[in-house]
Structure formats: C-alpha cells, structure tokens
Amino acid sequence: MSTELLAPLDLAFWHLESDAHPMHLGALAVFDPVPGVAPQDLLELLGARAAAIPRLRMRVRDVLLPVGGAAWFTDKDFDVQRHVRRVVLPEGDFMGEATRLAGELMEQPLGRGLPPWQMYVLDSPGDGPFAVLVKLHHALADGMRAVAIGAGIFDQIASAGAGRGAVRRRTPVPPRSWLPGPYEAAGMAMDRLGDVRRALGVGASVVRASRLDLRAGTALTARSSGTRRMATADLDAETVQRIRRTEGGTANDVLLAVVAGALRRWMLERGEPLPGADPRALVPVSRRRPGGAATGNRLSAYLLGLPVGEPDARERLRLVRTGMDRNKAAGPLRGAGAVAVLADQLPALAHRFGAPLAGNAARMLFDILVTSVPLPRSALSLGGCPLRAVYPMAPLARGQSLAVALTTYGGGVQVGLVADGKALPDLDRLARAVHEELHDLHALVPTVPAPA
C-alpha cells in the first residue's frame, strides 16, 4: 500500500482543520505498572509496534487528479521517534496531571508534512500507573478504525499479528480495458443517479433542520479560544445495564440521558439559565460493514435534542429513548445528521474550497458531539502492564465548546470530556455531574434482577 486517494469524507476532515480547531481524535489509556518494566522500555516497545502498522507510516500529499484531491503516500523518510515521546509528570495526583497535559496536547495540531499521529508515554517518578496518550487525525481514521489502529500496540493484538504465516500471493488478474462495457456503464450511471437523489434528500433535510437564529447561546456554544481542557468520569457498566433492563431501550440511550442530566445539573449549579430549546447532540453512527474495507471514514450521524429542560430523570430517559427510536426508524442515511453522507457525494475541489464554510455552519446543526467508541471486550496489556481504563477524546467543531466520548472496558464506562479551556473552565464539575446523574437515575429505577 504505497498510494491511496483520500475518501471524500477523509478529505473533508483534512480541510476542515484550522489552528484553533485541530481535527484529531484522541485516547488516554491508563495502565498499571509491573515490576521490571521501565518507562523507557515501554517507549521503545510502543515505537516498534507503531512503526509496524503500515497506515501509521503514511502521510498526505496533494495530487493533480482529481482536481483538489489528496492521497496517502508512504513516507520514505519515516522516523518513528518523531511521533513517539515520553513526558515525565510531576509527583502527586497522577490522573489530574495526566488529564491536564492531555488537554494541552490535544489543542496542538498535528504536523501536516508528516504521518498525522502522535503517541506519548506519560509517567511520574515512583512505581505508580502510567498512561499512553494517542492522537490520530480524523482523516486517518474514524472511531472504529482508530480502535483497530490503536489496538495494534497492545500485547494481545501485536502477538497475534506477529504469529501470522507468510503473506499469500495474489492470483494474477488478466488485464482488462479501463473503459467500461455498455452494461457496466449503464449500471454506473444508475448508481450515480441514486447517489445524486440521496444527496439531494440529505441536503434538503440539512436545510430544514438548520437554525438561522443563533443569538441565544450557552457556554456550549461560546466563541472558540483555541485552548483545550480534558476531564474524565468513570461509570459502572452494570448499573447502566440494570437501568436499561428496567426502562427499555439501549445502554447508549441510558448514557445519552445521563449526559443530558449532567448538563442540566452543571448549568443550574453555575447559575446559567436553562436554554429555551434543548441543545442538539450529534450522535455519530458507523456505516462500516463487517468485513468491509478498513480504510476511509464511513460515518453518518443522528441529531438528538438533549432534554435538559425536563426535571424528571426517568422522563429524560424516556424522551431520549423516543428520540433515538425515531432516528433509527428513519435510518442513518436520512435526516440532517447524515450530512457526512452528503460529503461523500461532493467532488474533491468542493471540499478544498468549501470546508471553511461547512465548518462555520456546524453551529447551525448541533451544539455538542456525543459519541460512543467500541473497544475489544478482552483484557489488554502493553509490555505486560494491564490496561486499567481508556478515556476517548473527540475533536471540537467550530462553534462548539464541548465534546463527549464514551467507551466500555473492564466493567466500567469511561467518559472523556474535551472542552474549550476558556469557555468551560469548570469542566471537572461537569465530570462529577456525570457520575452523580447516573447514581441518582439508578436510585429512581426499580431493581430488576439480571437474567440467569
């Protein structure tokens, strides 16, 4: 794999980026130490495994055709030491220092002349835990693909990859003309007409859902300062499942309701009036098919009003469940949240020149990003050090001050909050509100025993 055109949505993410709005995903993975494994050993192991992942050796370059397009090229001067670094944190509160530094590192754009990713080993003096901070540009991977790439650094996945046999030779394919035959051309034309009809339908949905009056704002939609803060929360996964079994819906419905309730608590405690209209959440949905091509972003999304104005926690959950059921009935290819599907239909030149306009229009569609990132269910380790928790981090769009990412691992739900540092200086209070909201919602729900 030496050359590969950026898919339309990848190209959109590449051009949406600015100094104040870097478009990279992140994750803060926390590990327990084991005797005899030094931070320098982990740094070298991390570098060796990252260098063995072909996708991480590629960078983006402009191409002549298609006009305005770009492609992934293998970086002939690739040096993993430019991407993998160690940072020694001060003694004291390890998680506090790690999340503080993660926020600072998340606000720094990735170098565009290099493969767009970085990893940091964060440790402190003594024998305490350590963390690995991963940054991957959104053009490089969506959430599911980022997990697949990042998983290559863990012992279990790296060992499995090393144990594979020799690469099978491909069966030669007879040469054929690059010109399509008449039946193939007719099929291509029909597919393209279907794409155009779908794009027009999504475009109409986007226009209908756009909010033109944006004068009423909250801290969630403050002017961007270009700074970043990070905070984390830990939830009990079994508590989430008990609520789901009693109230119905999905675990994701419960988590979305918890986010809505936490926002309500946080706004009231900071003396901020509740918004007249529910803030809109953009909830990404993967369109990646099992066993399909692993490259390129394959995303759609749902739009959901987070019922922060509703005082009853169980009613908030019902409203969330009803809204998500309505979204699912319509499907991920319909509605304004499918704007990412529309991006797939646009030519490369439109992304190059239209990205700034599209970025500024994000505020017209949604107020906050809430995304769930899947992780392998098996226990993971790095250099024999067991993985304790993973806190995912999502980028901030223009006009938004907060992004919420969640993942489930080791019997817990880890929540990563990324915010504009000046708009939300009290992000730690919001993280505590997430934990408090789940506790109070669980207290309101009758206990239903788990299935035998």
Side-chain angles (χ1 to χ4, degrees):
M1 182 173 61
S2 58
T3 304
E4 175 191 324
L5 283 175
L6 268 72
L9 189 53
D10 299 349
L11 193 63
F13 286 133
W14 188 249
H15 290 308
L16 276 170
E17 184 168 65
S18 68
D19 288 342
H21 294 91
M23 289 299 298
H24 49 255
L25 311 169
L28 184 67
V30 183
F31 297 84
D32 289 322
V34 296
V37 180
Q40 187 60 37
D41 299 330
L42 294 167
L43 185 70
E44 293 174 2
L45 179 64
L46 189 65
R49 289 182 177 172
I53 299 173
R55 172 62 67 179
L56 297 185
R57 303 176 67 93
M58 305 189 79
R59 66 185 184 92
V60 175
R61 286 195 342 220
D62 292 342
V63 294
L64 292 176
L65 293 174
V67 178
W72 294 104
F73 288 82
T74 300
D75 187 355
K76 296 180 180 179
D77 300 319
F78 176 77
D79 181 358
V80 74
Q81 294 184 8
R82 295 176 177 176
H83 301 267
V84 180
R85 301 166 188 170
R86 178 189 175 197
V87 179
V88 180
L89 302 175
E91 289 188 273
D93 179 9
F94 174 78
M95 278 304 299
E97 289 295 332
T99 53
R100 178 195 59 78
L101 181 60
E104 294 178 1
L105 293 174
M106 283 296 288
E107 73 184 44
Q108 300 174 11
L110 294 163
R112 295 175 77 87
L114 297 171
W117 64 274
Q118 290 175 340
M119 296 184 189
Y120 297 84
V121 174
L122 311 180
D123 67 282
S124 58
D127 299 325
F130 70 94
V132 173
L133 173 65
V134 180
K135 292 169 57 175
L136 296 172
H137 200 284
H138 212 332
L140 183 68
D142 55 20
M144 291 186 68
R145 180 59 179 159
V147 169
I149 291 174
I153 71 172
F154 292 112
D155 297 337
Q156 292 76 9
I157 289 85
S159 299
R164 291 173 187 157
V167 177
R168 292 179 297 177
R169 294 182 180 179
R170 295 182 179 179
T171 303
V173 178
R176 54 166 293 178
S177 170
W178 62 270
L179 290 172
Y183 294 106
E184 187 177 359
M188 292 170 61
M190 292 300 293
D191 288 345
R192 189 56 186 162
L193 285 174
D195 291 343
V196 171
R197 283 196 296 268
R198 185 171 62 181
L200 289 174
V202 173
S205 298
V206 170
V207 172
R208 287 194 298 269
S210 297
R211 300 168 300 183
L212 300 180
D213 185 3
L214 302 177
R215 289 174 294 177
T218 67
L220 299 179
T221 55
R223 184 180 298 275
S224 174
S225 68
T227 60
R228 295 290 182 272
R229 288 178 63 89
M230 181 191 179
T232 64
D234 293 273
L235 307 177
D236 179 57
E238 179 54 32
T239 299
V240 172
Q241 291 298 335
R242 281 197 293 267
I243 296 172
R244 177 196 62 79
R245 287 193 293 268
T246 303
E247 301 295 302
T250 67
N252 199 49
D253 293 342
V254 176
L255 292 171
L256 286 167
V258 167
V259 171
L263 288 172
R264 175 185 172 84
R265 288 170 179 264
W266 172 74
M267 289 178 178
L268 291 175
E269 289 183 6
R270 73 195 322 244
E272 182 174 324
L274 297 176
D278 291 336
R280 281 181 178 176
L282 185 75
V283 184
V285 180
S286 175
R287 294 192 294 126
R288 195 178 300 284
R289 296 179 179 177
T295 57
N297 278 274
R298 300 289 296 169
L299 290 173
S300 184
Y302 297 137
L303 286 180
L304 175 71
L306 296 177
V308 300
E310 171 55 52
D312 183 81
R314 293 182 72 184
E315 178 63 12
R316 282 197 296 270
L317 175 54
R318 189 193 68 79
L319 291 171
V320 166
R321 190 175 67 245
T322 300
M324 288 302 289
D325 287 346
R326 187 164 49 245
N327 278 327
K328 292 169 187 175
L333 300 185
R334 294 181 180 273
V339 65
V341 179
L342 180 62
D344 276 341
Q345 313 304 322
L346 298 177
L349 198 60
H351 288 301
R352 181 176 291 272
F353 293 107
L357 179 62
N360 291 325
R363 171 70 180 91
M364 299 172 64
L365 286 177
F366 66 99
D367 304 298
I368 178 175
L369 174 72
V370 184
T371 182
S372 295
V373 182
L375 275 184
R377 294 185 178 181
S378 59
L380 300 172
S381 61
L382 175 64
C385 301
L387 177 66
R388 177 194 296 180
V390 180
Y391 301 95
M393 293 176 282
L396 292 182
R398 288 182 179 91
Q400 275 86 45
S401 301
L402 175 66
V404 181
L406 312 100
T407 194
T408 301
Y409 176 78
V413 178
Q414 286 99 47
V415 185
L417 306 172
V418 174
D420 184 281
K422 291 188 177 179
L424 277 70
D426 55 346
L427 188 63
D428 289 341
R429 181 66 197 94
L430 178 58
R432 288 194 296 273
V434 171
H435 187 273
E436 293 164 359
E437 179 64 19
L438 179 64
H439 178 272
D440 288 359
L441 176 59
H442 183 243
L444 295 173
V445 173
T447 301
V448 172

